[in-house]
Amino acid sequence: MAVDPGAFEILGAVKVKDGLFIGDELAAQDLEFVVANKVTHIINCCGRQAPNHWEPIGVVYLTYYWVDNDTQVILDTRDVVANEIFGFIEEAITNSESVLVHSQRGQS
């Protein structure tokens, strides 16, 4: 049975837990969402396609230049990326702030 590739698209952001959201480029551009959810840290997984919109107002970014598709390798054998991401998220949540992790379509 074939799965429709568009069946899992995220429009906006989904709350994973308090202080952590996963979303797409639209969520990353939505200043109302960013402010309402106290998003002070954003992990931009599609730096080639989406600029870091809110750096001028003090949002802290961790940017990766990945392609939003099924073949993109996002983890490395030494866990450098996983440890970077974990530390970035922990820093924000420890300070009662929120993190948005986003890619272009919310897949990577």
Side-chain angles (χ1 to χ4, degrees):
M1 182 170 131
V3 176
D4 176 16
F8 300 107
E9 285 188 25
I10 296 173
L11 293 176
V14 175
K15 183 177 181 179
V16 175
K17 66 177 226 165
D18 287 346
L20 182 60
F21 298 87
I22 294 179
D24 59 13
E25 187 177 358
L26 294 175
Q29 294 176 17
D30 185 350
L31 183 58
E32 186 177 325
F33 167 80
V34 169
V35 172
N37 291 288
K38 298 181 184 177
V39 174
T40 59
H41 290 63
I42 295 179
I43 301 174
N44 180 352
C45 297
C46 60
R48 285 189 182 107
Q49 293 91 6
N52 295 340
H53 294 284
W54 309 121
E55 276 182 321
I57 63 168
V59 174
V60 179
Y61 280 83
L62 176 60
T63 305
Y64 296 100
Y65 297 92
W66 297 329
V67 178
D68 203 0
N69 66 33
D70 295 336
T71 61
Q72 176 67 56
V73 176
I74 60 173
L75 299 176
D76 57 278
T77 56
R78 296 181 330 173
D79 292 331
V80 172
V81 171
N83 289 330
E84 267 182 342
I85 291 171
F86 180 79
F88 192 79
I89 292 171
E90 278 297 302
E91 176 186 321
I93 290 177
T94 298
N95 292 319
S96 300
E97 299 167 336
S98 295
V99 179
L100 170 64
V101 181
H102 83 89
S103 61
Q104 191 171 19
R105 295 179 318 215
Q107 294 180 346
S108 290

